[in-house]
């Protein structure tokens, strides 16, 4: 198994990128990719979260409050993969990512 390296963080993983995205502790992923996690004030059940990268390079993940730990963790990983252009498993139907 090859080692993957995130040049931004300088940290290394000894597993494939997709496996790492799914298995690494979420706080570790957020730290390695320089993403801050915030609670969103949006309460619409259809809103699962948002990944935002500012012009100055700051990255934020905004997640609604009151969701289960499993939902929050799963959606955070999905948004990280999409927002950072990482390889991840396909999204389950009917979920979709909207870019604006």
């Amino acid at each position: 198994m090859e080692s993957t390296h995130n040049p931004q963080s300088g940290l290394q993983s000894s597993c494939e990128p997709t496996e790492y995205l799914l298995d690494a502790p979420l706080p570790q992923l957020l730290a390695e990719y320089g993403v801050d996690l915030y609670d969103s004030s949006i309460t619409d059940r259809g809103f699962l979260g948002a990944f935002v990268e500012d012009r100055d390079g700051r990255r934020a993940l905004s997640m609604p409050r009151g969701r289960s730990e499993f939902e929050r963790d799963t959606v955070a990983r999905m948004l990280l993969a999409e927002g950072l252009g990482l390889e991840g498993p396909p999204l389950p139907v009917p979920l979709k990512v909207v870019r604006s």
Side-chain angles (χ1 to χ4, degrees):
M1 183 178 324
E2 281 188 29
S3 175
T4 58
H5 183 258
N6 176 359
Q8 179 177 347
S9 69
L11 301 177
Q12 288 192 329
S13 165
S14 61
C15 57
E16 295 298 319
T18 301
E19 182 181 333
Y20 183 66
L21 176 69
L22 296 175
D23 293 339
L26 185 58
Q28 181 178 327
L29 285 173
L30 296 173
E32 285 187 27
Y33 289 105
V35 179
D36 294 317
L37 179 62
Y38 298 99
D39 286 331
S40 173
S41 60
I42 298 173
T43 58
D44 182 329
R45 283 297 302 164
F47 175 73
L48 298 177
F51 176 88
V52 178
E53 186 166 5
D54 292 336
R55 289 185 182 142
D56 64 2
R58 289 183 300 170
R59 297 170 172 161
L61 190 56
S62 176
M63 306 289 295
R65 298 175 196 183
R67 305 293 171 90
S68 72
E69 184 177 333
F70 175 78
E71 179 180 331
R72 194 171 169 97
D73 185 85
T74 302
V75 171
R77 291 169 193 278
M78 174 190 76
L79 291 172
L80 283 173
E82 288 290 323
L84 297 170
L86 304 172
E87 188 175 322
L91 300 178
V93 175
L95 294 181
K96 65 180 177 179
V97 173
V98 177
R99 295 181 183 271
S100 59

